[in-house]
Amino acid sequence: MSNKMHIKLTVNGAEEEFLAEPRELLIYTLRERLGITGPHIGCETSHCGACTVNLNGKTIKSCTMFVAQANGAEVTTIEGMGGPDALHPLQEAFKEHHGLQCGYCTPGMITRAAKLLEENPSPTEEEVRFGMAGNLCRCTGYQNIVKAIMAAAADMSSSKEAAQ
Amino acid sequence: MKDEVTREERVDALGGMGCKRKRVEDARFTQGKGNYVDDLKLDGMLFGDFVRSPYAHARVKSVDSSAAMEVPGVLAVLTAADLEPLGLHWMPTLAGDKMMVLADGKVLYQGQEVAFVVATDRYAAADGIESVEVEYEELPVLVDPFEALQSDVVLREDLLGADGGTPDGAHGPRNHPNHIFTWEAGDKDATEQVIGAADVVAEEMVYYHRTHPCPLETCGCVASMDKVNGKLTLWGTFQAPHAIRTVVSLISGIEEHNIRVISPDIGGGFGNKVGAYPGYVCSVVASIVTGKPVKWIEDRMDNLMTTAFARDYWMQGKIAATKEGKITGLWCHTTADHGGFDACADPTKFPAGFMNICTGSYDIPTAYLAVDGVYTNKAPGGVAYRCSFRVTEAAYFIERMIEVLAIELGMDAAELRRINFIKAEQFPYQSALGWEYDSGDYHTAWGKAMAAVGYDDLRAEQAQRVADFKAGKTRKLLGIGLCHFTEIVGAGPVKNCDILGLGMFDSCEIRIHPTGSAIARLGTISQGQGHATTFAQILATEIGLPADSITIEEGDTDTAPYGLGTYGSRSTPVAGAATAMAGRKIRAKAQMIAAYLLEVHDGDVEFDVDRFVVKGAPERFKTMKEIAFASYNQAIPGLEPGLEAVSYYDPPNMTYPFGAYVCVMEIDVDTGEHEIRQFYALDDCGTRINPMIIEGQVHGGLTEALAIAMGQEIAYDEMGNVKTATLMDFFLPTAVETPHYTTDHTVTPSPHHPIGAKGVGESPNVGGVPAFSNAVHDAFRAFGLRQSHMPHDHWRIWKIANELGLHG
């Protein structure tokens, strides 16, 4: 169609270039166009956070952002956070502390938590709960998610200290 | 270096029952590599979506899809007229009723499916939906079940007799065109007699409002009809994949061996994904029509408005007692709002589920229950939202009635419970409403809970708070919410439990590989419960191979043995039992192989953790790993090669998990806001397979209970509009509203279950709702509150305070 827009994105370090309708949502681009299925769709109204990705240094809900608005952006999804050979400390901590059950919210949770710990490397429990309030979980009651994030924060700051 | 491994080390190496084994599922989920149905992408796959009714009750005069067919990307529009020649415009429900797949002349609730638009992608399907012209003629709307039973407005004209009368339904006589069934349990006359003669009778209407399971992943499927081979593959969010295969076969006429149903990873179920929905049928038809795979995925509004509501029970109760507080009788009449079609997911013989567990944890000698099901202009469903078939409603009812009785008697509610508990020595206990409770020790659990929270101190603090409030020193009240619940789970014995005629057994099939690892397949399907982790633990203990060497698979009907699926806390009680029994068959054959290898009689060897040893000579043994290999490479006289087993387990009884919960809540009288200061949850689920997973289940179930009690509802206006169809209005707690929970346990094994396990996933939701709600009520008890309906959101709590004159 003639109204397609020329979009450039960097997703998990890879440059992507394509034509998209102005109404195409970022979550659709990621999941359907690029095959990046870690971010999920849960509510389509920005409430649940299953679609959370980090975009230009901010946590966003990709279900309510047009890909046109993300033109030129750098996007990080769960797939960009760590793989089988080197898990991100948050991925390790969620496994260790039973911070997930059905797994549907988990990619968004971990993606958001990573940004939260960048913003605040040693948060209190209250700060974690507040900082994660944009991500809903129906299975865990959050108690072990909070525990996992606190543990990852401690782990990350001790490795940082060791590196220094 | 140690040359000998101790027995304890051998036990630890198995990772069997009782250990906090980390979940094997988590590697893929934490890396974004879960495989949910919407992640599935097939060549040429199309996307289908519904035109839905904006009206709650209307005639559908016409559906014109001609403009939609001109929309770029739209390939087909299905209507009831298209499905009728195939006999698929209606389908049977799980409750013995039938429901429309697509609107056939009228619609009965807002959001009802009217037409199915099939297009190349979601955007094109949405464009197509916009272009379908539907002409409606509005009809009077009934959203109140009591009014529906009096009204001249007939919702289900399709059920009228030829004479305009009301023929019997699937569950017996109907007394009004909008009446579905009357279901009774217990002794009516005796109960009324006891109530008539009692020292004290407390009477109350207890409403458990309509809500929705709302898993984070909505319902959906992908249907792919391979016309060359005549095979249909259906991937979907199915909590009961095998039953879905049978249902699809029965209603489509496709032979069952030509249908393969696959439940991939499921993003939470909580009962939402038990039923069969129009989207599944339309996707299958669309795939047959177009020759392409067709995907259908609900959006959140579709999900909340149409698939699978829960609760909506109006429970009128009377409870009788002596003046000392000994309960003598319980009477309950429930008016059950089932919506436009009766699509409740219950075992066939139980149209009101297990509501007759409503005598709870108490030794009540005489009881009577009647339930009337009613049609209204609301969505159908009536699923057990993290619950075993209406146990949540039953537990809420009795735990409110106990509180109301305590008020009537002027007694402490904890003491009233204590003096009425079924005693440990009374098990197995025959309840007045027909169940045989398998085991329990309620007094021990209750005593432990009261001690843990410092109950007497809490009551003293509460009394002081009331005095301070009255003296104008504080505007906050303190509520102590108590609950002792008894569940009934693990449906169930084939003699009285079936769904669509399918007995509710479950199954496990095990294959041991030559090198001593294994695969086991079950008839259930995990939706986050961690089956791949816990079932391997059961097997590790039963067959002596490490849990890490055992793969668990579920959800593919071509490979897994037949089973009725995962809901109603039935996986551990039923499939868990099948797993243990299949493991024991493996062990029995392994014993013969070991005896042959050790050149002794079968009876001369015994199982010891991970091996068979010669009795009295523990240095002579064969490990299960050695036995596994021998089963593939030795010609053993009288034995077939290989090491495999299958078990179809028909449970002799249900299991009856129980628990004692205490919620301590601060309530701000002026804003209606609450703060949960403490929540203590003691669960007794019998033998504990994985304490880490149990704790996680309790946290999650309590949070769903918090949501239901404190704000979550599916609300309708008088026109039948759904007022809570997005997550803006439908309350799901965030990490901020969710409190910290303290968990505890006692262990009373089930005497009839092979490993003594009872199931736990639903207990916290069943027990949590009364605990939260009772806390709210208890905070206002000193000011005269008896009963106030859930959900207790800030506005409703403020209203309680206002109506009690606490705003001065």
Side-chain angles (χ1 to χ4, degrees):
Chain A
M1 278 166 76
S2 58
N3 67 346
K4 283 193 175 171
M5 300 179 70
H6 182 202
I7 308 288
K8 280 187 187 180
L9 281 181
T10 306
V11 183
N12 299 327
E15 289 186 12
E16 309 284 353
E17 199 171 341
F18 49 88
L19 294 175
E21 285 186 49
R23 64 176 174 173
E24 182 169 316
L25 292 163
L26 179 56
I27 186 69
Y28 185 89
T29 309
L30 293 171
R31 291 181 52 82
E32 304 293 334
R33 190 182 284 280
L34 305 177
I36 295 171
T37 55
H40 299 134
I41 300 173
C43 69
E44 294 150 292
T45 50
S46 294
H47 289 91
C48 81
C51 65
T52 298
V53 299
N54 291 325
L55 181 136
N56 290 342
K58 284 190 173 147
T59 305
I60 61 119
K61 309 283 175 70
S62 63
C63 75
T64 37
M65 177 182 258
F66 294 116
V67 68
Q69 295 172 284
N71 198 3
E74 295 218 7
V75 179
T76 308
T77 72
I78 188 71
E79 285 89 344
M81 292 203 36
D85 301 327
L87 288 183
H88 189 282
L90 277 161
Q91 291 171 319
E92 288 283 8
F94 270 64
K95 285 171 62 177
E96 184 62 28
H97 296 282
H98 190 28
L100 64 149
Q101 291 180 26
C102 81
Y104 201 76
C105 75
T106 310
M109 281 284 173
I110 292 179
T111 308
R112 168 59 197 148
K115 184 52 63 186
L116 172 69
L117 295 187
E118 258 178 59
E119 294 160 355
N120 181 358
S122 23
T124 63
E125 177 175 336
E126 203 180 347
E127 286 167 342
V128 169
R129 284 182 179 268
F130 186 78
M132 296 303 296
N135 291 72
L136 299 176
C137 172
R138 294 288 288 143
C139 299
T140 65
Y142 305 103
Q143 195 153 319
N144 290 340
I145 289 177
V146 173
K147 206 197 261 183
I149 295 170
M150 299 290 284
D155 180 38
M156 286 161 78
S157 42
S158 64
S159 359
K160 208 168 165 188
E161 274 168 32
Q164 283 165 358
Chain B
M1 201 177 125
K2 275 202 305 185
D3 52 358
E4 207 161 290
V5 182
T6 67
R7 189 173 189 279
E8 200 174 308
E9 285 168 333
R10 288 195 282 123
V11 171
D12 288 348
L14 289 181
M17 276 195 287
C19 81
K20 295 183 177 180
R21 183 177 188 227
K22 301 296 176 207
R23 298 199 336 158
V24 296
E25 295 89 343
D26 292 358
R28 69 178 186 277
F29 291 144
T30 53
Q31 293 176 64
K33 298 298 180 193
N35 179 33
Y36 304 92
V37 67
D38 196 19
D39 298 340
L40 193 65
K41 217 171 181 179
L42 301 176
D43 283 346
M45 188 171 73
L46 305 174
F47 191 83
D49 202 356
F50 286 107
V51 175
R52 294 179 180 277
S53 169
Y55 299 110
H57 194 199
R59 297 238 178 269
V60 177
K61 311 274 281 185
S62 64
V63 182
D64 180 358
S65 53
S66 52
M69 287 300 292
E70 300 300 316
V71 171
V74 172
L75 282 99
V77 179
L78 300 178
T79 64
D82 300 313
L83 299 183
E84 190 171 359
L86 307 167
L88 291 175
H89 55 319
W90 288 73
M91 65 177 178
T93 71
L94 296 178
D97 194 2
K98 56 178 181 163
M99 68 182 283
M100 294 178 210
V101 173
L102 291 171
D104 182 21
K106 75 184 291 193
V107 287
L108 287 160
Y109 53 94
Q110 190 179 53
Q112 189 178 331
E113 297 81 358
V114 175
F116 191 65
V117 176
V118 186
T120 47
D121 61 64
R122 279 163 219 243
Y123 289 94
D127 291 342
I129 287 168
E130 289 295 308
S131 302
V132 175
E133 292 286 339
V134 186
E135 195 188 340
Y136 297 96
E137 177 191 321
E138 287 184 74
L139 295 168
V141 172
L142 296 172
V143 289
D144 175 347
F146 298 98
E147 189 192 333
L149 287 178
Q150 305 295 325
S151 176
D152 294 335
V153 176
V154 175
L155 300 183
R156 294 289 302 277
E157 289 132 322
D158 59 293
L159 298 179
L160 289 175
D163 58 351
T166 305
D168 288 2
H171 305 289
R174 299 161 60 228
N175 57 35
H176 183 279
N178 298 331
H179 179 239
I180 308 172
F181 62 83
T182 299
W183 187 71
E184 293 176 283
D187 189 330
K188 184 168 189 267
D189 294 341
T191 306
E192 284 173 356
Q193 212 168 352
V194 165
I195 286 169
D199 294 348
V200 180
V201 178
E203 186 168 357
E204 200 53 72
M205 171 65 95
V206 179
Y207 179 47
Y208 199 142
H209 59 292
R210 179 175 279 237
T211 182
H212 192 284
C214 193
L216 208 52
E217 178 203 36
T218 58
C219 298
C221 70
V222 175
S224 180
M225 184 73 204
D226 174 348
K227 289 192 180 175
V228 175
N229 296 302
K231 299 260 182 193
L232 170 70
T233 308
L234 183 62
W235 293 261
T237 50
F238 309 130
Q239 290 184 234
H242 300 272
I244 289 284
R245 185 186 71 192
T246 302
V247 170
V248 170
S249 177
L250 289 173
I251 68 178
S252 71
I254 301 170
E255 280 197 86
E256 205 165 353
H257 73 105
N258 280 331
I259 302 171
R260 180 180 186 185
V261 173
I262 299 173
S263 294
D265 286 327
I266 295 182
F270 316 121
N272 190 186
K273 296 164 180 171
V274 171
Y277 299 123
Y280 305 156
V281 178
C282 289
S283 301
V284 169
V285 173
S287 181
I288 293 170
V289 169
T290 62
K292 300 269 179 66
V294 176
K295 180 186 276 187
W296 164 72
I297 305 286
E298 288 180 314
D299 68 22
R300 181 55 62 191
M301 286 183 75
D302 299 341
N303 177 252
L304 289 172
M305 287 171 72
T306 64
T307 50
F309 80 91
R311 327 297 193 229
D312 217 346
Y313 261 30
W314 292 90
M315 301 172 286
Q316 181 74 38
K318 294 178 201 171
I319 187 164
T322 65
K323 56 185 183 305
E324 293 78 27
K326 186 78 191 92
I327 301 169
T328 52
L330 180 72
W331 179 96
C332 178
H333 180 269
T334 295
T335 303
D337 185 338
H338 285 215
F341 305 102
D342 185 13
C344 287
D346 292 311
T348 305
K349 295 190 183 78
F350 298 92
F354 302 153
M355 181 62 196
N356 57 332
I357 192 74
C358 67
T359 51
S361 309
Y362 311 103
D363 183 14
I364 301 179
T366 314
Y368 170 70
L369 164 73
V371 182
D372 280 300
V374 186
Y375 290 121
T376 61
N377 289 120
K378 297 182 188 170
V383 299
Y385 168 8
R386 204 169 185 143
C387 149
S388 178
F389 311 116
R390 305 288 185 180
V391 177
T392 39
E393 289 89 327
Y396 185 63
F397 169 73
I398 185 65
E399 289 301 297
R400 281 303 308 142
M401 291 308 294
I402 288 283
E403 294 281 322
V404 173
L405 179 63
I407 292 169
E408 199 75 39
L409 289 161
M411 260 182 91
D412 177 81
E415 177 64 6
L416 179 61
R417 284 178 173 82
R418 200 187 61 76
I419 64 172
N420 283 290
F421 281 143
I422 300 162
K423 296 183 185 73
E425 60 270 22
Q426 287 177 277
F427 292 92
Y429 173 80
Q430 208 67 45
S431 84
L433 292 177
W435 296 112
E436 184 184 295
Y437 292 28
D438 59 350
S439 64
D441 184 352
Y442 302 163
H443 285 95
T444 299
W446 195 244
K448 196 173 177 185
M450 293 300 104
V453 299
Y455 182 70
D456 293 340
D457 292 345
L458 282 173
R459 284 293 176 205
E461 183 188 349
Q462 185 186 43
Q464 183 60 48
R465 184 72 69 86
V466 170
D468 289 351
F469 183 87
K470 287 179 175 167
K473 291 184 197 162
T474 179
R475 296 296 292 163
K476 283 192 175 174
L477 294 175
L478 185 67
I480 303 163
L482 304 176
C483 172
H484 191 288
F485 64 92
T486 295
E487 264 207 291
I488 172 170
V489 306
V494 172
K495 63 179 185 238
N496 64 354
C497 287
D498 73 274
I499 287 184
L500 295 176
L502 302 164
M504 295 181 75
F505 59 83
D506 226 291
S507 59
C508 175
E509 181 190 279
I510 306 168
R511 293 182 193 175
I512 311 291
H513 306 316
T515 52
S517 64
I519 184 165
R521 296 188 171 102
L522 292 90
T524 42
I525 176 72
S526 190
Q527 306 127 39
Q529 296 92 335
H531 290 179
T533 303
T534 51
F535 286 129
Q537 290 181 257
I538 296 175
L539 270 183
T541 298
E542 291 291 342
I543 65 176
L545 293 173
D548 287 345
S549 301
I550 302 169
T551 294
I552 301 289
E553 265 190 18
E554 304 170 299
D556 183 339
T557 59
D558 263 13
T559 55
Y562 204 99
L564 267 280
T566 294
Y567 44 85
S569 266
R570 63 186 301 281
S571 296
T572 295
V574 193
T579 303
M581 297 308 270
R584 287 171 196 183
K585 288 183 185 177
I586 295 278
R587 218 164 69 191
K589 184 170 178 183
Q591 180 166 0
M592 292 189 263
I593 297 170
Y596 172 80
L597 296 173
L598 291 161
E599 299 178 335
V600 295
H601 286 294
D602 293 352
D604 293 336
V605 292
E606 61 188 356
F607 187 68
D608 179 45
V609 185
D610 57 354
R611 61 191 61 180
F612 277 94
V613 300
V614 176
K615 286 179 187 168
E619 72 286 357
R620 293 188 62 204
F621 63 84
K622 288 288 170 190
T623 64
M624 283 301 293
K625 209 173 149 111
E626 292 169 318
I627 293 165
F629 196 73
S631 76
Y632 284 88
N633 83 340
Q634 298 264 338
I636 303 173
L639 280 186
E640 290 179 3
L643 195 50
E644 301 190 3
V646 59
S647 169
Y648 282 77
Y649 186 79
D650 178 8
N653 190 5
M654 308 285 186
T655 61
Y656 296 77
F658 61 94
Y661 291 178
V662 182
C663 172
V664 182
M665 191 185 282
E666 299 268 354
I667 287 179
D668 185 316
V669 169
D670 297 317
T671 63
E673 289 173 296
H674 69 271
E675 186 199 336
I676 292 149
R677 196 171 86 182
Q678 183 182 5
F679 198 105
Y680 170 89
L682 179 151
D683 276 283
D684 191 321
C685 58
T687 303
R688 291 155 59 83
I689 298 164
N690 183 327
M692 176 191 82
I693 284 184
I694 291 172
E695 192 183 61
Q697 290 288 311
V698 173
H699 293 166
L702 287 175
T703 305
E704 292 193 339
L706 168 78
I708 294 166
M710 306 310 290
Q712 183 180 92
E713 66 177 323
I714 295 291
Y716 288 81
D717 69 12
E718 69 279 6
M719 298 297 290
N721 296 305
V722 184
K723 299 197 289 180
T724 53
T726 73
L727 297 192
M728 177 72 92
D729 305 298
F730 185 82
F731 175 51
L732 298 184
T734 73
V736 173
E737 292 93 28
T738 305
H740 185 91
Y741 305 110
T742 305
T743 56
D744 203 348
H745 63 275
T746 55
V747 177
T748 313
S750 169
H752 64 77
H753 187 281
I755 59 169
K758 289 186 171 186
V760 76
E762 294 164 346
S763 294
N765 198 356
V766 171
V769 171
F772 288 114
S773 178
N774 283 346
V776 174
H777 285 91
D778 185 68
F780 292 103
R781 177 174 168 173
F783 302 92
L785 180 67
R786 265 173 75 105
Q787 178 63 22
S788 182
H789 298 318
M790 295 189 291
H792 307 298
D793 54 23
H794 301 165
W795 156 240
R796 287 183 174 97
I797 291 181
W798 182 90
K799 247 178 20 174
I800 293 172
N802 194 258
E803 282 161 14
L804 293 172
L806 303 184
H807 291 149

